[in-house]
Amino acid sequence: MRRGLIGGGVLVALWFVCGWAPFLLYAAGGSLASLGQMVPSPMARGAFASPAPWTFIVQILVAIALVAVFAVLASRFSSGRATFAAGWLAAILASFAIGAVLDLGSFFTGLGTFGIRGSLGMMGTTPVTTWWAVALGWIPALAWARLPIAPPAETAPRVRAAGRVPTLAWSAIAAVALICLPLAAQAGSDATQTQLREDEATAAQQADPDGAAAPDPSATGEPVPAMAPAEGPTPADACTSANTTILAPAEDAATGHRGQLLSLVNTSDEPCVVNGYPDVAYGDQNGHLLQVDVQHGSSFMGDDPGAAAITLQPGSSARAVIGWDANSVRGHLAARSLWLAVSTGQERLTWEVSLDIIPGATVHVTAWRDIAPPEG
């Protein structure tokens, strides 16, 4: 039995060398990938596709089954004599057993969904593993045949009785490994499908409804500043982020143009003065500052009256308009957050938006103007 276990160990080592070599060569790419196609592999194409725990479990079960089946069969075929033919045949049958149980597992798993014909199409591992052993099984057989044979014991009946114990034990180990192997392979396949569905669901959630580029956690860029540098000293009676708030409703559209009306509301108990243009910035889907050209002036969606001092009484409002031309966002970074402040040097408020503003676009911003109170 010791010789059989050593021969089975050689078979396992050969199995994994031939199985992993094409995978690693293909992963290296280039001419090595072509070289990998020339290495005979006993492993199915999906051997490395399952999540890591299941891939590890399946390959451990394969190793146990190969060693146990080879050891038991080689001992049976040789009748106490390690022959080259017995070792080769044991290697072929051990590899056949691996492929057969995997194919049977695939067949019964797909039977309810695909029927008999469809399930038969899911099989195909057995020929691969068997022909691999036919081609290379002579290597563990040679190792098995060259191992020294232990001298016969003096009391043959007692030796035969003792010899049956490890044989039966290894036969049980082989049976358990072969039964567990397709179950583990199917569990790995189920885990793979679950992971794929989760990845698809995540991608669908991240997908932009307008076709813009998906968020990229590894993207680099400048975060949107919470405040733009002030252009001068702030007057004591100025409208600031402390005594006002900004309302930014959804954008409007007209003949290829876009516009967004901003309202500045005095939320304090004292009048304040606003003079100039709102501070506007945009963030992309990665949370970085979107590089757009923000200009002061009129657009198709709003005329610019020019900067003028406006006194806002408590509760009263001023307004400004942001205007830009429509853009195609497909595959691009786009405005997915809007950052606004009364003026530069003030803390910006932010909103989640979905605007067709892309890098390089020009955005026109009008100055704050007074909203005349309703007549009567």
Side-chain angles (χ1 to χ4, degrees):
M1 182 58 67
R2 181 183 64 87
R3 298 194 309 271
L5 294 177
I6 295 176
V10 174
L11 179 63
V12 169
L14 189 64
W15 178 287
F16 286 119
V17 167
C18 292
W20 277 89
F23 174 76
L24 296 176
L25 290 172
Y26 181 80
S31 58
L32 293 178
S34 300
L35 180 61
Q37 297 178 355
M38 301 176 63
V39 179
S41 174
M43 294 185 181
R45 293 181 179 178
F48 305 99
S50 299
W54 289 111
T55 297
F56 178 77
I57 291 172
V58 168
Q59 298 197 25
I60 287 296
L61 289 172
V62 167
I64 294 173
L66 284 174
V67 170
V69 173
F70 181 92
V72 171
L73 294 182
S75 299
R76 289 291 185 182
F77 295 154
S78 63
S79 300
R81 184 179 180 186
T83 64
F84 176 76
W88 199 346
L89 181 58
I92 294 172
L93 292 179
S95 300
F96 170 84
I98 298 296
V101 297
L102 289 175
D103 276 344
L104 286 174
S106 298
F107 176 81
F108 287 111
T109 300
L111 191 60
T113 304
F114 304 105
I116 294 178
R117 179 174 297 181
S119 298
L120 289 174
M122 298 172 62
M123 302 171 68
T125 305
T126 306
V128 174
T129 59
T130 303
W131 282 111
W132 173 84
V134 170
L136 299 178
W138 60 271
I139 298 176
L142 186 63
W144 147 266
R146 287 182 173 273
L147 289 172
I149 302 175
E154 295 180 358
T155 55
R158 182 177 300 176
V159 172
R160 286 195 298 270
R164 283 195 295 268
V165 175
T167 301
L168 291 175
W170 281 105
S171 297
I173 291 173
V176 172
L178 290 174
I179 291 172
C180 293
L181 180 56
L183 300 178
Q186 183 57 42
S189 177
D190 293 341
T192 301
Q193 295 302 317
T194 300
Q195 184 63 50
L196 290 174
R197 287 192 293 269
E198 291 176 354
D199 292 344
E200 290 177 357
T202 301
Q205 291 176 354
Q206 294 180 344
D208 192 280
D210 298 325
D216 182 5
S218 62
T220 58
E222 176 189 356
V224 182
M227 181 185 300
E231 296 178 354
T234 302
D237 60 350
C239 294
T240 67
S241 58
N243 55 21
T244 63
T245 189
I246 299 176
L247 305 179
E251 75 278 8
D252 195 7
T255 60
H257 303 279
R258 304 285 188 267
Q260 190 168 20
L261 178 65
L262 309 180
S263 295
L264 176 66
V265 182
N266 183 350
T267 57
S268 70
D269 296 330
E270 300 291 335
C272 67
V273 177
V274 59
N275 186 359
Y277 294 82
D279 171 36
V280 179
Y282 297 94
D284 62 24
Q285 46 267 64
N286 299 317
H288 299 144
L289 179 65
L290 191 70
Q291 300 299 326
V292 298
D293 182 16
V294 178
Q295 297 184 1
H296 296 166
S298 301
S299 68
F300 184 87
M301 302 298 289
D303 295 328
D304 181 24
I310 302 170
T311 300
L312 294 183
Q313 298 298 325
S316 63
S317 302
R319 70 180 182 184
V321 178
I322 304 174
W324 67 94
D325 293 336
N327 299 281
S328 172
V329 301
R330 185 163 299 277
H332 291 285
L333 295 173
R336 292 300 177 259
S337 62
L338 169 63
W339 297 68
L340 292 174
V342 182
S343 62
T344 57
Q346 299 297 318
E347 184 178 358
R348 288 168 168 169
L349 302 176
T350 182
W351 293 261
E352 290 186 2
V353 296
S354 183
L355 304 176
D356 56 350
I357 299 175
I358 61 176
T362 300
V363 174
H364 297 275
V365 183
T366 68
W368 292 112
R369 68 169 61 180
D370 190 15
I371 300 178
E375 296 181 0

